Amino acid sequence: MRLPSDEIKRGLTRAPHRSLLRALGLSESDMELPFIGVVNSFNEVVPGHVHLRSVADAVKDGIRAAGGVPFEFGGIGVCDGIAMNHEGMRFSLASREIIADEVEVMAKAHAFDGLVLIPNCDKIIPGMIMGALRVDIPAIVVSGGPMLAGDLDGEKVDLHDVFEAVGAGLTGRIDAKHLRRLESCACPGCGSCAGLFTANSMNCLTEALGLALPGNGTIPAVHAGRLRLARETGKRAVAIIAEQLKPRDIVDGRALRNALTVDSSMGCSTNTVLHLAAVAQEAGVDFDLRGINEITGNTPHLCSLSPAGTYHMEDLHRAGGVAALMKELLDADKLDGSAAGIAGGTIADAVAGAAVLDADVIRPLDNAYHQTGGLAILFGNLAPRGAVVKESAVDETMLVHRGRALVFDSEEELVAAIEAEKIAPGSVVVIRYQGPKGGPGMPEMLTPTAAIAGAGLDRQVALITDGRFSGATRGASIGHVAPEAFSGGPIALVREGDEIKIDIPARSLELLVDEDELARRAGQLEPRQPRYATGYLSRYVRLVNGAESGAVVG
């Protein structure tokens, strides 16, 4: 079987290439083995990535043991928590496209035969998967694993508790001493933040997509099992090259439906909609937002993890992990067991030996937290192309809500209004010009949503944005409104005091203003100039598509 690496190591004309490979320490016998790129997103900025050197070392040990040659290279990674609520957040989603490009560039330029992807946090996971699908050589994912929850006076806490405590502090509900104690213990060590936020959502979905071995989503970062999984992943990387099992053989319509089903049963981050849409585009698979409602309507919500519930990723791991959840869904005919898996065989084969070990962390279908799944896609005259909400994290009293609009064109304005206690109960807060082009980069709104929750208003106030909400957000927070305000979408036409009706069970989002008035406002709308005239984000704005198609560049 001819391999891509033969292009750089076979024949008379490749003597210079072999000479450079020998300079890396390769031997004559190494030239006969498959070359595997190990994409390590280690850095000393992101807590979820600071330990990835050890994961990469275990992967490389596995590759060598199975008869391959590993070539490690780096990739960028943004920490959303550190980037939150300042200019840095505009670069977070936009970094996903760079990461996909990095994988493509390195794999193609160096003729690798296969890839091991080592991400851990939000945009790095989908970005690496997108790049692997683009080059379509055998590839497998192993993440760095989740952080353990912190402990404050015997109560488990995580990063979202700190963000919400800021809101409580702004309104005088807690003092600075309590906030300092909380911030000191909420993030006790390495790993992706302990709740079911975007990073852990996506790591869990790598199992549902069939691109990672069982345990990838939940084995804690500090457990030795994470290194054992990494070593097995390295071994499997060599095997899939021999089998020529490629990402596009795995990520098909069945895999994406399975991922959305698992997503719905867990109550994952709303950001997964963006990322799965982008992954589908790279895989050449149709992705219909309306189809998500069909899947969620047929999928019970079986796991309730932070921020919606009290459990954390370590509890899901203890309860049997994603494999046990998938086995429950498979036994109920909610998953397509014929979909391919990276472990060889089918998804059904991969989870055959799994079992639920805690029936409250992973509930049986007849005792579900909710009878429908965690995500909902809303449509209406305010979101003709859709908007997304994490229904499982919305209080029942807010599932249907009608209120007057409070309109903000920046997150900073809203945070100032919260601090000044100007957000009236019953309001619908609109934050616009935060979309892929308008933000740019769809900045996450965790600070205002957490501040509203911390101020005790999450059961009285709804938020709507053409930007994004963090996976750590809870409450009636509706994001990804499309078309976005920058592109002249109806969200740009909302005025202070307009009535907005939200009906999540009916999947509806309506601006209660008559069509003639909206047409008049549209005629008066003045185009906005991009925020950036130079640099990466100026190019990103010119190329990025809408949220409804995954905010991909193309």
Side-chain angles (χ1 to χ4, degrees):
M1 178 178 63
R2 184 170 175 80
L3 295 173
S5 64
D6 290 342
E7 289 288 338
I8 61 171
K9 62 188 184 185
R10 303 274 184 212
L12 182 67
T13 61
R14 295 303 186 252
H17 305 64
R18 291 191 295 273
S19 182
L20 290 167
L21 291 168
R22 291 179 196 281
L24 298 174
L26 269 65
S27 67
E28 192 69 37
S29 60
D30 288 334
M31 301 293 182
E32 303 301 317
L33 303 177
F35 286 4
I36 300 174
V38 177
V39 194
N40 185 5
S41 57
F42 162 81
N43 63 47
E44 294 181 342
V45 181
V46 186
H49 292 226
V50 71
H51 64 303
L52 293 186
R53 280 176 172 158
S54 61
V55 175
D57 286 344
V59 165
K60 291 185 289 185
D61 286 346
I63 290 172
R64 293 188 186 101
V69 182
F71 294 83
E72 182 181 345
F73 62 93
I76 64 168
V78 170
C79 179
D80 278 17
I82 296 174
M84 197 72 65
N85 196 27
H86 63 90
E87 185 185 27
M89 181 46 70
R90 305 189 192 284
F91 289 84
S92 175
L93 179 62
S95 73
R96 186 189 69 184
E97 313 307 305
I98 295 176
I99 292 161
D101 290 347
E102 287 179 324
V103 172
E104 177 188 15
V105 167
M106 292 297 287
K108 288 292 189 182
H110 302 102
F112 291 134
D113 301 315
L115 293 167
V116 177
L117 312 175
I118 310 178
N120 210 29
C121 291
D122 298 42
K123 314 308 168 295
I124 299 93
I125 306 154
M128 286 191 181
I129 293 172
M130 290 162 66
L133 283 162
R134 197 178 297 168
V135 299
D136 201 32
I137 58 175
I140 185 170
V141 181
V142 60
S143 75
M147 185 185 293
L148 296 177
D151 183 281
L152 180 64
D153 300 329
E155 181 180 349
K156 286 185 177 181
V157 292
D158 59 40
L159 184 65
H160 108 273
D161 294 298
V162 185
F163 273 99
E164 290 197 2
V166 170
L170 289 173
T171 55
R173 298 177 73 193
I174 64 170
D175 60 24
K177 182 179 179 181
H178 180 83
L179 180 58
R180 178 59 63 91
R181 289 184 65 223
L182 177 59
E183 75 173 72
S184 298
C185 65
C187 298
C190 65
S192 47
C193 296
L196 191 61
F197 314 145
T198 305
N200 288 323
S201 294
M202 288 304 303
N203 278 326
C204 288
L205 294 187
T206 61
E207 294 188 48
L209 285 167
L211 292 172
L213 297 177
N216 185 59
T218 60
I219 298 173
V222 295
H223 282 197
R226 178 57 54 181
L227 298 181
R228 290 194 292 269
L229 179 71
R231 194 170 295 108
E232 289 304 311
T233 297
K235 292 178 181 178
R236 185 63 191 149
V238 178
I240 59 175
I241 293 171
E243 297 165 14
Q244 280 300 284
L245 182 59
K246 300 176 181 178
R248 290 195 181 191
D249 298 326
I250 295 172
V251 182
D252 56 13
R254 296 172 300 174
L256 283 159
R257 287 190 296 273
N258 284 345
L260 285 167
T261 300
V262 171
D263 187 317
S264 297
S265 71
M266 296 182 70
C268 289
S269 163
T270 53
N271 285 317
T272 59
V273 175
L274 278 177
H275 299 324
L276 289 175
V279 165
Q281 181 161 313
E282 292 289 357
V285 177
D286 289 337
F287 190 90
D288 180 11
L289 282 180
R290 292 184 185 274
I292 295 175
N293 285 336
E294 180 181 347
I295 290 171
T296 58
N298 190 43
T299 306
H301 178 215
L302 304 181
C303 296
S304 186
L305 308 182
S306 174
T310 57
Y311 290 120
H312 291 82
M313 296 306 297
E314 62 203 69
D315 299 305
L316 179 57
H317 178 62
R318 172 179 53 80
V322 177
L325 173 64
M326 290 176 65
K327 184 66 164 55
E328 285 285 298
L329 294 169
L330 192 63
D331 289 346
D333 293 324
K334 301 293 185 182
L335 291 182
D336 189 335
S338 70
I342 202 71
T346 65
I347 287 293
D349 297 328
V351 303
V356 174
L357 303 177
D358 186 324
D360 194 54
V361 178
I362 303 174
R363 289 192 173 183
L365 274 72
D366 60 5
N367 188 34
Y369 286 97
H370 304 94
Q371 289 306 310
T372 56
L375 294 178
I377 309 299
L378 311 184
F379 295 92
N381 70 343
L382 189 51
R385 297 181 193 165
V388 62
V389 62
K390 186 192 281 194
E391 183 176 9
S392 60
V394 180
D395 188 87
E396 288 187 4
T397 61
M398 290 295 293
L399 290 172
V400 178
H401 181 73
R402 183 168 174 163
R404 298 285 179 182
L406 296 175
V407 183
F408 302 89
D409 287 351
S410 75
E411 184 179 358
E412 293 76 15
E413 293 172 16
L414 172 55
V415 172
I418 295 169
E419 189 170 3
E421 300 186 27
K422 292 182 178 180
I423 306 300
S427 301
V428 178
V429 173
V430 177
I431 321 171
R432 61 191 180 189
Y433 295 101
Q434 306 300 310
K437 292 181 179 291
M442 297 185 76
E444 287 185 350
M445 304 290 170
L446 179 55
T447 296
T449 59
I452 283 174
L457 293 171
D458 56 303
R459 297 183 180 182
Q460 302 172 72
V461 172
L463 294 97
I464 298 172
T465 184
D466 51 5
R468 299 180 295 126
F469 291 115
S470 166
T473 292
R474 61 185 173 95
S477 301
I478 300 165
H480 309 190
V481 169
E484 63 175 295
F486 186 89
S487 299
I491 193 172
L493 308 179
V494 182
R495 293 188 177 174
E496 199 90 2
D498 285 349
E499 270 201 301
I500 295 174
K501 183 178 180 183
I502 301 163
D503 191 334
I504 295 173
R507 308 309 194 226
S508 174
L509 182 61
E510 295 287 339
L511 176 61
L512 302 181
V513 176
D514 68 64
E515 292 184 8
D516 289 342
E517 171 62 14
L518 290 177
R520 187 184 69 81
R521 293 181 188 180
Q524 298 174 342
L525 194 64
E526 296 184 3
R528 293 216 173 187
Q529 294 301 311
R531 294 178 189 265
Y532 292 83
T534 60
Y536 173 59
L537 288 182
S538 70
R539 301 193 299 276
Y540 179 81
V541 169
R542 291 197 298 270
L543 297 171
V544 71
N545 294 315
E548 71 275 13
S549 58
V552 295
V553 165

